[in-house]
Amino acid sequence: MSNEIVQWILSIIGVLGTVIAIYQYAVLNESKKRRHELQFLFAGIHQFTLSKRMEWDNQISLLPKPQNDRDMEIIRVHVRARDNLMAIGNAITALESVIDTDSSAISAMFEKTIKQVELNNRLQTEGSKNPTIPSNQKMNETEQ
């Protein structure tokens, strides 16, 4: 009888150990997913700061040459706003890289952007061969 109780207790411990191992695996797996989600959230914020910086650069390029101190102050405010956006972008990059030092969501997004640009270029090249476009009709007439 005592041997059966020991086997029964060992079976329960084995089942509990298996349940705990499965639970830990699930927690670790979910934690890894959350890290990547957080990385891509930071990468999105980084992309946003880059696009806003380009907007500020465009606005700064449209400003007239400063004629007085007030004009110079306007330029300083624009440049300070642009620089603050870049500081935010740099902080976001640092936060994103701390989550997983072996992979970068920002780099992955850049790679995806490059691939999308390449695909868009191919699409435009193919579209330029469309015979229904008036400029292509003229080319086809001259070739014949």
Side-chain angles (χ1 to χ4, degrees):
M1 173 111 175
S2 113
N3 203 13
E4 290 177 8
I5 292 174
V6 171
Q7 285 181 349
W8 189 74
I9 290 173
L10 288 175
S11 295
I12 290 174
I13 291 172
V15 168
L16 285 175
T18 303
V19 168
I20 290 170
I22 291 170
Y23 174 77
Q24 287 177 332
Y25 175 77
V27 167
L28 287 174
N29 223 11
E30 193 61 31
S31 173
K32 193 179 280 187
K33 287 181 191 175
R34 294 286 178 230
R35 278 191 312 204
H36 291 298
E37 289 173 3
L38 191 55
Q39 270 190 295
F40 277 94
L41 173 67
F42 283 145
I45 294 169
H46 180 263
Q47 287 295 105
F48 175 77
T49 60
L50 284 179
S51 69
K52 287 299 175 186
R53 177 169 184 217
M54 285 192 290
E55 288 179 23
W56 278 102
D57 283 339
N58 291 338
Q59 292 302 311
I60 291 168
S61 71
L62 295 174
L63 292 173
K65 283 190 173 188
Q67 301 297 320
N68 53 42
D69 289 342
R70 185 177 182 285
D71 292 348
M72 193 62 193
E73 185 59 29
I74 290 170
I75 290 173
R76 280 192 195 106
V77 168
H78 280 76
V79 171
R80 191 176 312 126
R82 181 201 61 199
D83 292 346
N84 286 341
L85 279 170
M86 284 314 298
I88 292 169
N90 291 337
I92 292 297
T93 301
L95 288 171
E96 187 266 341
S97 63
V98 167
I99 293 171
D100 186 351
T101 57
D102 293 332
S103 67
S104 169
I106 292 172
S107 295
M109 287 180 78
F110 284 150
E111 291 293 329
K112 189 171 186 174
T113 300
I114 290 169
K115 184 176 178 180
Q116 288 172 338
V117 168
E118 289 170 350
L119 289 172
N120 185 46
N121 289 343
R122 280 181 38 205
L123 182 65
Q124 288 181 0
T125 300
E126 290 302 315
S128 67
K129 297 175 185 175
N130 186 342
T132 62
I133 297 175
S135 61
N136 289 345
Q137 288 174 352
K138 291 177 186 175
M139 286 179 133
N140 287 339
E141 290 171 2
T142 58
E143 289 176 359
Q144 294 174 357

